[in-house]
Amino acid sequence: MTRTADLIADVAAVLLSEDQIQEKVAELGRRISADYAGRELTLVSVLKGSLPFMADLMRAITIPVQIDLMEVSSYGGTATESSGLVRILKDLSSSIDGHHVLIVEDIIDTGLTLNYLVRYLRGKNPASLRICTLLDKPARRLVEIPIDYRGFEIPDQFVIGYGLDYGERYRNLRFVGVLRPEVYTSPA
Ligand code: IMP
């Protein structure tokens, strides 16, 4: 059985501590609450990686919000590379026609997944559509994505924790870290 301590042992370095993340989430919540004051906001989060960020961010927002969840998977890629071919595994539960929509993402890497999602959601006729991402890895961007709310810009490293996985593991860590190289090379 794998315990949290074993997961932590796989981590080479902590990139963002729990405190750093929580401080940033509170700041983003304040900004979003001020920017959307007097309007009804719908947060659309993308499973599974954005789950902890969405849960914390929605509670840091003080204006009325609705939430919806989508799940997409990119296919044709590898465990650490996205391909840009996106399949919708779970669609919106309610209409966003006329809603002010804020997409809540865990990380923007190449931007291919979000580029697809933005085009898809625009087609649903929202009153406005903006993007909030906790992490931004600009070094690997292949398509331009206008980011309205950005938590942290990070270097070109594959990161895990706070929702982000490698082989579906490490999502439950409270911090964002970098894995030891052996984890990628040794068989599971
Ligand atoms: P993009 O399409 O390349 O921008 O990748 C978007 C998705 O790839 C994210 O929502 C994550 O699920 C995954 N991803 C990209 N970079 C990382 C990383 O460093 N760690 C874990 N997942 C990542």
Side-chain angles (χ1 to χ4, degrees):
M1 196 173 67
T2 309
R3 299 164 305 138
T4 312
D6 298 326
L7 295 178
I8 291 173
D10 288 344
V11 175
V14 173
L15 199 63
L16 299 166
S17 70
E18 183 178 359
D19 282 354
Q20 280 176 295
I21 295 169
Q22 291 306 327
E23 238 174 71
K24 185 63 77 177
V25 171
E27 179 197 318
L28 290 170
R30 280 193 298 272
R31 277 181 54 203
I32 293 166
S33 304
D35 292 353
Y36 286 90
R39 284 182 286 174
E40 289 256 351
L41 176 61
T42 300
L43 303 175
V44 173
S45 166
V46 191
L47 296 170
K48 304 170 194 168
S50 306
L51 193 59
F53 181 42
M54 175 70 150
D56 287 341
L57 184 68
M58 63 189 263
R59 288 175 293 173
I61 294 174
T62 52
I63 58 166
V65 289
Q66 294 184 33
I67 65 163
D68 210 333
L69 303 168
M70 288 187 70
E71 184 169 5
V72 301
S73 78
S74 60
Y75 55 100
T78 67
T80 58
E81 300 277 335
S82 121
S83 64
L85 300 169
V86 177
R87 181 185 294 144
I88 294 179
L89 301 177
K90 188 213 165 294
D91 206 340
L92 295 170
S93 303
S94 314
S95 165
I96 55 166
D97 192 339
H99 289 223
H100 294 286
V101 172
L102 181 62
I103 301 175
V104 177
E105 255 290 22
D106 48 1
I107 186 165
I108 305 178
D109 186 20
T110 62
L112 293 171
T113 307
L114 203 53
N115 188 50
Y116 172 87
L117 208 64
V118 164
R119 280 186 288 138
Y120 179 77
L121 292 176
R122 274 218 187 98
K124 304 263 174 203
N125 202 30
S128 67
L129 184 63
R130 286 178 161 187
I131 294 168
C132 174
T133 186
L134 181 69
L135 306 176
D136 178 19
K137 226 195 266 183
R140 287 173 34 98
R141 196 65 35 81
L142 293 177
V143 282
E144 197 187 330
I145 300 280
I147 302 174
D148 302 284
Y149 303 95
R150 175 192 288 104
F152 302 94
E153 191 174 303
I154 62 166
D156 184 9
Q157 280 179 309
F158 189 81
V159 292
I160 46 84
Y162 197 66
L164 294 162
D165 75 305
Y166 174 68
E168 292 299 328
R169 282 185 167 191
Y170 311 102
R171 294 192 196 275
N172 54 326
L173 297 178
R174 292 174 169 272
F175 56 86
V176 171
V178 181
L179 286 178
R180 294 185 185 285
E182 309 91 82
V183 178
Y184 298 108
T185 46
S186 60

